[in-house]
Amino acid sequence: LIAKEVGETPAGYLTISDTSMATPHVAGAAAILKQEHPDWGYAELKGALTGSTKGGKYTPFQQGSGRIQVDKAIKQTVIADPVSVSFGTQLWPHTDDKPVTKQVTYRNLGTKDVTLKLSSTATNPKGQAAPAGFFKLGATTVTVPANGGKASVDLTVNTKLGGTLDGAYSAYVTATGGGQTVRTAAAVQREVESYDVTLNVLDRDGKPTKNYGADLTGISGLANGKWFTPYEEDGSVTVRAPKGAYILNSAYFVDPEDGTKGADWMVQPKLNVTKNTTITLDARKAKPVDITVPDTAVKSEFASPGFQVNTANGGYGYGWFLDSYAGFRTAHFGPQVTDGSLIEQFDGHWSKGATEQYDTVAGGKVRQFATGYTKHS
């Protein structure tokens, strides 16, 4: 197998990317290492593969520690353990951010002590060099004792130095010595402007419930493309959401194991998050949905309510498939949507005997419905 940078593929070879191609290559590399070092476990195999990688123009979020080099990994005796350092997320705003220190730890699998020289490079969310001191090493050299010995060096991140640029910052710590190199990736999220969104879900008796599902989909601003599925069994949950507009879609089930006992679809089609926000999704506010046809002898085949919110980036649609509308209720939370971007539809299908079928669709904008039915023989 020959690995080549994009644009350097020789005749007779094909460049294919993504994890479906990366996975078998890494698995094969690990198998080669295991043959060479049968006493190594997963930690040693992973440490040797990631530590001996070749750097490129990408960040740790795009390439991990780099591109694997099996010929280097076979000779690797010093690994980082763990292989990467995560500083998590520093919450917005960043005027009071404090430096956070963690350790990069090296383990020597060989029979000789190894002295490593350390350096680091850091990148901001735009792929440019991070401000000086954003990531800082506590030492420039470290000696790792032989025969499984360990040694650590401090790595400190100071997100306050990011100025007004929020997002993902990353770094590579490179340790060189004893004829080998150990690369370690480090990362921190400098949170964009974000706020707490708290959901309190109440059942049909007004009590907190665990029988619900919810999702929060970002449709504009910093929220665009963000998606959350908040859930806590006590019925109260808080998520950290970037500033922007969302669709809040939720459902309460009287009995999650038996949908025929009733379900309430509770939606806030436009939720603007510009501050810490609390929303109470109260199933007592839901109203029954029903569609009938003139012939009372018909049998419901299925029902399909749905809605769509149109935005500059396209439409976001949601829907249900039900046996019937029996026990199904809906509730609109938040302000009414009057700009024409909200479209709702309630679809019903019935049959009578083996030859007759009735279909109705009730739909429109902001609950202004046009109804009707057709009869097919």
Side-chain angles (χ1 to χ4, degrees), residues 163-237:
T164 60
L165 183 58
D166 299 326
Y169 287 76
S170 59
Y172 289 113
V173 176
T174 304
T176 305
Q180 58 192 307
T181 297
V182 186
R183 286 170 55 82
T184 306
V188 65
Q189 284 283 347
R190 191 176 193 263
E191 186 184 53
V192 299
E193 183 176 355
S194 301
Y195 300 95
D196 289 341
V197 176
T198 299
L199 304 181
N200 296 313
V201 186
L202 305 180
D203 64 16
R204 292 181 176 184
D205 295 321
K207 298 177 181 179
T209 179
K210 65 178 181 180
N211 298 341
Y212 75 96
D215 56 73
L216 196 62
T217 304
I219 59 175
S220 72
L222 297 176
N224 193 42
K226 304 295 183 182
W227 185 59
F228 305 90
T229 53
Y231 179 80
E232 288 290 347
E233 288 208 350
D234 64 2
S236 180
V237 60

Side-chain angles (χ1 to χ4, degrees), residues 18-377:
D18 223 327
T19 54
S20 294
M21 289 296 100
T23 299
H25 283 75
V26 173
I32 292 172
L33 285 189
K34 186 66 173 177
Q35 286 181 316
E36 188 73 16
H37 304 281
D39 58 325
W40 282 7
Y42 75 91
E44 290 77 20
L45 295 173
K46 182 177 180 180
L49 283 172
T50 57
S52 60
T53 51
K54 179 181 179 180
K57 60 183 179 180
Y58 303 105
T59 71
F61 295 100
Q62 299 165 316
Q63 68 172 10
S65 64
R67 192 175 64 185
I68 59 174
Q69 302 183 100
V70 182
D71 57 333
K72 302 291 186 183
I74 286 176
K75 302 174 184 178
Q76 196 83 3
T77 62
V78 179
I79 63 174
D81 189 6
V83 298
S84 61
V85 180
S86 173
F87 288 91
T89 299
Q90 297 295 306
L91 299 186
W92 183 91
H94 302 288
T95 53
D96 60 349
D97 283 2
K98 300 291 191 300
V100 177
T101 298
K102 293 194 174 184
Q103 290 189 322
V104 180
T105 300
Y106 299 98
R107 182 154 61 100
N108 189 347
L109 308 176
T111 57
K112 295 181 180 180
D113 294 354
V114 177
T115 297
L116 302 171
K117 292 184 178 180
L118 306 175
S119 63
S120 67
T121 56
T123 306
N124 70 15
K126 294 184 177 181
Q128 304 163 338
F134 194 96
F135 287 96
K136 187 177 181 180
L137 284 166
T140 56
T141 62
V142 64
T143 298
V144 191
N147 301 313
K150 293 184 178 182
S152 300
V153 61
D154 287 345
L155 179 63
T156 300
V157 65
N158 186 354
T159 50
K160 193 173 183 179
L161 299 177
T164 60
L165 183 58
D166 299 326
Y169 287 76
S170 59
Y172 289 113
V173 176
T174 304
T176 305
Q180 58 192 307
T181 297
V182 186
R183 286 170 55 82
T184 306
V188 65
Q189 284 283 347
R190 191 176 193 263
E191 186 184 53
V192 299
E193 183 176 355
S194 301
Y195 300 95
D196 289 341
V197 176
T198 299
L199 304 181
N200 296 313
V201 186
L202 305 180
D203 64 16
R204 292 181 176 184
D205 295 321
K207 298 177 181 179
T209 179
K210 65 178 181 180
N211 298 341
Y212 75 96
D215 56 73
L216 196 62
T217 304
I219 59 175
S220 72
L222 297 176
N224 193 42
K226 304 295 183 182
W227 185 59
F228 305 90
T229 53
Y231 179 80
E232 288 290 347
E233 288 208 350
D234 64 2
S236 180
V237 60
T238 298
V239 295
R240 190 76 172 166
K243 178 182 179 181
Y246 293 83
I247 299 170
L248 173 58
N249 177 55
S250 71
Y252 159 71
F253 302 92
V254 174
D255 182 351
E257 302 299 325
D258 185 357
T260 64
K261 292 183 178 180
D264 298 332
W265 195 10
M266 300 180 288
V267 175
Q268 184 160 338
K270 291 288 183 74
L271 170 61
N272 291 315
V273 176
T274 58
K275 60 182 180 179
N276 291 340
T277 302
T278 298
I279 300 167
T280 298
L281 296 169
D282 189 343
R284 292 173 297 179
K285 295 183 178 181
K287 304 297 182 183
V289 172
D290 192 20
I291 301 177
T292 61
V293 292
D295 193 336
T296 58
V298 296
K299 172 188 175 184
S300 175
E301 293 294 340
F302 74 90
S304 180
F307 77 92
Q308 178 171 312
V309 176
N310 293 320
T311 72
N313 300 316
Y316 297 80
Y318 303 80
W320 291 59
F321 284 97
L322 307 168
D323 292 334
S324 72
Y325 284 107
F328 184 75
R329 313 189 313 175
T330 65
H332 177 127
F333 289 87
Q336 292 297 309
V337 180
T338 58
D339 59 4
S341 62
L342 175 62
I343 299 173
E344 298 175 346
Q345 178 172 296
F346 292 84
D347 186 12
H349 297 256
W350 295 261
S351 66
K352 182 179 180 181
T355 60
E356 294 184 75
Q357 177 179 314
Y358 293 80
D359 306 281
T360 72
V361 176
K365 298 179 178 180
V366 199
R367 297 187 179 277
Q368 296 175 356
F369 303 127
T371 63
Y373 77 96
T374 58
K375 175 181 177 181
H376 303 285
S377 297

